[in-house]
Amino acid sequence: MYRSRTCGELRIENLNESIVLAGWVQKARKMGGMIFVDLRDRYGVTQLVFNQEVNAELCDKAAKIGREWVIQIKGTVMERSNKNKNIPTGDIEINVAELNVLNAAETPPFTIEEDTDGGDDLRMKYRYLDLRRGNVRANLELRHKMAFETRRYLDEHRFLEVETPVLIGSTPEGARDFVVPSRMNPGQFYALPQSPQTLKQLLMVAGFDRYFQIVKCFRDEDLRADRQPEFTQIDCEMSFIEQEDILQMFEGLTKHLFKVIKGLDLSDFPRMTYADAMKYYGSDKPDIRFEMKFVELKGLTTGKNFAVFDDSEYVGAICAKGCADYTRKQLDALTDFVKRPQIGAKGLVYVKYESDGSLKSSVDKFYSQEDLKLWAERCNAQPGDLILIICGATEKAQKQLSELRLEMGSQLGLRDKTKYCCLWVVDFPLLEEDEELGRFFAKHHPFTSPKPEDISLLDSNPGTVRANAYDLVINGVEVGGGSIRIYDSELQKKMFGVLGFTEEKAQAQFGFLMNAFKYGAPPHGGIAFGLDRLVSIFAGLDSIRDCIAFPKNNSGRDVMLDAPSTIEQEQLDELNLIVK
Amino acid sequence: MYRSRTCGELRIENLNESIVLAGWVQKARKMGGMIFVDLRDRYGVTQLVFNQEVNAELCDKAAKIGREWVIQIKGTVMERSNKNKNIPTGDIEINVAELNVLNAAETPPFTIEEDTDGGDDLRMKYRYLDLRRGNVRANLELRHKMAFETRRYLDEHRFLEVETPVLIGSTPEGARDFVVPSRMNPGQFYALPQSPQTLKQLLMVAGFDRYFQIVKCFRDEDLRADRQPEFTQIDCEMSFIEQEDILQMFEGLTKHLFKVIKGLDLSDFPRMTYADAMKYYGSDKPDIRFEMKFVELKGLTTGKNFAVFDDSEYVGAICAKGCADYTRKQLDALTDFVKRPQIGAKGLVYVKYESDGSLKSSVDKFYSQEDLKLWAERCNAQPGDLILIICGATEKAQKQLSELRLEMGSQLGLRDKTKYCCLWVVDFPLLEEDEELGRFFAKHHPFTSPKPEDISLLDSNPGTVRANAYDLVINGVEVGGGSIRIYDSELQKKMFGVLGFTEEKAQAQFGFLMNAFKYGAPPHGGIAFGLDRLVSIFAGLDSIRDCIAFPKNNSGRDVMLDAPSTIEQEQLDELNLIVK
């Protein structure tokens, strides 16, 4: 061992102890005949002192060391005259008697500090230096702790972690697979799992009863800021349960994590149907840290010759408390916000409920004070409030209003990152219609069970069938989702039919699962959490990238490793492949 | 919840309780007016009773259920008249009041019993049924527990589990990589990691100090019985440590596992140099559950006109206690054993030390009783013992003698699977010479540190340089191995030179690591355990396959999923690939 102690643990109680420390030089500064060095390791920072008068030779040696050098020192713990209350070791310093340089270091391309001067690209290229920064390391420490506590909770509840294979078969349904050519089976390919969905269902058929796995999954999709080609799921499945059991078990897990990681006792999570979530928040993952629910005004707005509203399927409002004093400029900015192509609203109508009780709107030409009063009443608005209205085709307008609601929540400071509001969204639709293709897709996946009372609608009106499917939403972010599965091979066959699979195609892709169901499948269901997202919420991060040790950029590249890259011709030949 | 209790927990204390159970029908049998059903779940088996006299309709319904049907029952816990002491629930049975068939089942293709009638291929195809067998499930329960306890131990010792990427760059050195074509970077490929070796070293450069990961690794090699294309490692690395610290830490982990899993308190593990392991056991992973060390006889055998020995570089013996009474047939079988092509010995010489003190050998023509007496003395043989001798080129002959030693150990019952002997093998050679290619390869990997006192030999006599490398061996199986790493970029450069890398090639393949070392690399080292192998030793299995949920066969196929398989033309086009 190159040290007897870490740089984070020495206190005033250790006074006069002889110790050995090793770590990186955070900074070194000269003051008169003294040199002060901040020595850093994973556990903290400790101040070292070299004194010219006591040992000139040693002091000269210390004068040569630079930032990020790796050194080992032997010395004695002394009380500081100038205490630093900001760090746990701030009461002491080390009077150094011996200095060994373990490794010199070139000057790093950016500063190793929480507030670094390094840009994104540079930090990713030198990720091993970026990871030295305390805040980045803290994210990964948090990730370790969350994964460990997840395992502890699930182990206590008799879940077994079972590793499922990474080299599996390709399923063209859903997102695009990454594939792996097989040298031993020329012309054939493995696929990397998008999730262990079918395998965990097979484990239920196998009687494993309670399964989980913290597991890498893969999707070859065009990447957005917050997506990675490889990501990690907390994947879970249970047998002989109903939806309520899953919600209870995993609400318990979530509460456990908040308790042990953040010391928070969360109360029971509210539940909301998908239908209500769309109606009141225009989103299947509402941020319920603040109210500002949608209010439908269609009935109150028609027949007053305002064609824009009259021709709209939907007219919806939100009420922004205390915003009646918004300036022209602020209102224009909001209009610009909803008209951005990503949101796509045609415009924004406002009604200011002035403090004197009068109502002032951008549609005064068409609506009287009495009309506006009725709107305000329905919106539960008070003098001083601002009503914001969007109209259009229902689904689109609700989505636009949802973006506006979130923006207003941010502007009003209602989206505090240290406040956590968890929500179960339930009763998702089973199917989603692709109007262009004229066919239905599984909203969740083809194994999701319809609600028993809706099964009869599968033939007559598939779009209205609700599923036993649920999402866990925290602060407007979907962190987990799952469903009760179909466990009857006849119903599964019917489901594939509704999804437009021929029997041959269903057999070719999922035959192993349907066959398995013939040998005694138990009722089962499960859930999967996105670990990256869950950690990023706990860490208060805007991107999942900062809680991943070695993330890829938006082109799927690891710029540190310079991967992917070309491979040697010999490798291609062995795989029987030609690059076009 | 479909049950109030599991099938493993009801006892005589639960008498008269109303309960609900769900599970699979293990078997059903009629006796007079009664039907007895063994209901099975992951937790155990409980006997159900249906009585014709009490409820004829229910009894008729029960008569129709078959093996592996999934049922739910409601009933009352009763005392059995005929107790079954072999199972924990054997004192009770359930008087059934209600029976619900949750799922019927076709007759499984093999019996779901520990001693199944299913052959290997059939069991793999229907792995989800094979996994219902208690002994197979127990292996996976053990695996879960070992992984969990490994994490607990390492977490307690402040290790952080950090996930490293699965999609990395290809390194043509070492074994063959599996590669993954990148759609977004046409003509380029990711590789799946053979181990996170370089990434964990980067984490040390990043100051992570103590890292571990239980992680899937991949090797595209021709498979043998006990190899899988994907396998799981317990991968670990530490900073500011020396070899002794690693041995202590992971001896601690191994002892922890034996303690909590098997209730065994192991004493400190002996250590043996690689040189001694080869000299005394002819193997770098000696099975030290039994002695039977090699004895060199070369000096005692030369000059007696026995050309076979005279011309041999090496003459070595083992002494099999109490085997002097081996028959001609038994000795012939041993000779055949060592002459098998896998072992390749030319022949076998024996000396029987008869109980009357006389010595009888297959080379009596050349050696006198006095000669043989000297051999026996050196072998520490007693009357009644059998001396077995193999000769040839040193390395080959030692390997052959090692196989013979293991065979004799087995024949003498000295390789008890419930006895565990752990051993550290240390001081491995740094390099291995490929005589055909006339170049050196890294015995462990190119980042392994030579022993400081041997560095000067790197130029003059590279083959004799010893490494700070170590293996953990249990019962003759290598379960883990690691090394102290080079952390000086100059020494690393020199090492690449010895291995015949041009500077360009070293830069292209490992530039990111050598660059990282320039920014302050700490002294570090690590170890990796093969989890599959470790579990299989704990489970007493002959193959790692039985502790893997969904293993692949020797052609790398998953016969259950029928993977790998062909993919659609569209997928190939997107990847810019043509299959030859």
Side-chain angles (χ1 to χ4, degrees), chain A residues 1-3 22-24 42-43 68 70 102-103 105-107 128-129 131-132 137 140-141 143-144 148 151 155 158-170 172 176 178-185 187-190 202 205-210 216 218 220-223 230 232 240-242 245 487 512 516 518-523 531 549 552 555-557 560-561 563-565 567-568 571-580, chain B residues 1-3 22-24 42-43 68 70 102-103 105-107 128-129 131-132 137 140-141 143-144 148 151 155 158-170 172 176 178-185 187-190 202 205-210 216 218 220-223 230 232 240-242 245 487 512 516 518-523 531 549 552 555-557 560-561 563-565 567-568 571-580:
Chain A
M1 200 76 82
Y2 283 76
R3 63 190 172 199
W24 286 263
R42 180 183 132 198
Y43 310 95
E68 301 305 319
V70 187
L102 299 175
N103 230 332
E106 293 185 8
T107 306
Y128 45 87
L129 298 179
L131 288 169
R132 285 186 189 168
R137 192 182 55 240
L140 290 163
E141 286 175 344
R143 186 183 181 107
H144 160 74
F148 187 72
R151 287 190 164 99
D155 176 74
R158 303 188 77 162
F159 282 77
L160 293 175
E161 185 161 23
V162 179
E163 294 176 57
T164 53
V166 176
L167 299 171
I168 64 168
S170 185
R176 203 183 285 105
F178 280 105
V179 296
V180 181
S182 166
R183 180 181 55 86
M184 291 210 271
N185 303 274
Q188 301 192 359
F189 293 77
Y190 302 100
L202 290 178
V205 174
F208 271 60
D209 205 86
R210 296 182 170 200
K216 276 279 173 75
F218 306 85
D220 184 13
E221 287 183 344
D222 298 321
L223 302 173
E230 53 181 298
T232 304
F240 299 117
I241 47 76
E242 291 160 302
D245 304 304
Y487 65 100
F512 62 94
K518 291 181 188 153
Y519 294 101
L531 180 63
K552 294 189 174 51
S555 320
R557 293 201 70 80
M560 179 187 73
L561 298 177
S565 61
I567 57 174
E568 296 184 9
Q571 277 176 288
L572 286 171
D573 292 342
E574 281 189 325
L575 295 171
N576 244 24
L577 288 178
I578 296 170
V579 173
K580 269 195 228 177
Chain B
M1 199 76 81
Y2 283 77
R3 62 189 172 199
W24 286 261
R42 178 183 133 199
Y43 311 96
E68 300 306 318
V70 186
L102 299 175
N103 231 331
E106 293 185 8
T107 307
Y128 45 85
L129 297 179
L131 288 169
R132 285 187 189 166
R137 191 181 57 241
L140 289 162
E141 286 175 343
R143 187 182 180 108
H144 161 74
F148 186 74
R151 288 190 164 98
D155 176 75
R158 304 188 75 163
F159 283 77
L160 294 174
E161 184 161 26
V162 179
E163 293 176 59
T164 54
V166 176
L167 299 171
I168 63 168
S170 184
R176 207 184 280 107
F178 280 106
V179 296
V180 181
S182 166
R183 180 181 54 86
M184 291 212 269
N185 302 277
Q188 299 191 0
F189 293 77
Y190 301 100
L202 290 177
V205 175
F208 271 59
D209 206 87
R210 294 181 172 200
K216 276 278 174 75
F218 306 86
D220 184 11
E221 286 184 345
D222 298 321
L223 302 173
E230 52 180 297
T232 304
F240 299 117
I241 47 77
E242 293 161 300
D245 304 303
Y487 65 100
F512 61 94
K518 291 180 189 154
Y519 293 101
L531 179 62
K552 294 188 175 53
S555 322
R557 292 201 72 79
M560 180 188 72
L561 298 177
S565 61
I567 58 175
E568 296 184 9
Q571 277 176 287
L572 285 171
D573 291 343
E574 282 189 325
L575 296 172
N576 245 24
L577 289 179
I578 297 170
V579 172
K580 267 195 232 176

Side-chain angles (χ1 to χ4, degrees), chain A residues 267-374:
Chain A
S267 48
D268 290 348
F269 301 174
R271 298 179 188 183
M272 191 184 293
T273 63
Y274 172 86
D276 278 353
M278 296 312 291
K279 182 173 175 185
Y280 294 118
Y281 299 94
S283 165
D284 59 1
K285 40 179 191 283
D287 184 349
I288 58 165
R289 279 174 297 184
F290 63 107
E291 275 274 319
M292 213 185 281
K293 281 188 188 175
F294 293 4
V295 178
E296 283 178 34
L297 296 182
K298 176 74 183 166
L300 297 178
T301 61
T302 35
K304 304 285 177 168
N305 297 319
F306 184 45
V308 177
F309 280 179
D310 287 356
D311 299 345
S312 290
E313 184 186 12
Y314 178 85
V315 179
I318 54 174
C319 174
K321 290 278 156 204
C323 294
D325 57 357
Y326 260 42
T327 62
R328 173 95 248 155
K329 201 174 153 195
Q330 283 175 298
L331 290 166
D332 285 349
L334 285 181
T335 307
D336 290 345
F337 174 82
V338 297
K339 287 169 91 172
R340 289 187 311 166
Q342 306 96 299
I343 299 184
K346 289 267 165 35
L348 178 65
V349 169
Y350 69 81
V351 181
K352 287 179 169 186
Y353 200 161
E354 305 284 5
S355 47
D356 64 4
S358 68
L359 291 139
K360 193 168 172 304
S361 91
S362 51
V363 288
D364 281 345
K365 260 197 281 187
F366 305 97
Y367 298 98
S368 68
Q369 286 285 309
E370 286 67 39
D371 292 332
L372 299 179
K373 201 99 188 178
L374 287 174

Side-chain angles (χ1 to χ4, degrees), chain B residues 376-392:
Chain B
E377 267 168 29
R378 187 171 287 180
C379 290
N380 228 343
Q382 307 297 325
D385 293 350
L386 174 70
I387 297 168
L388 297 168
I389 303 169
I390 279 181
C391 65

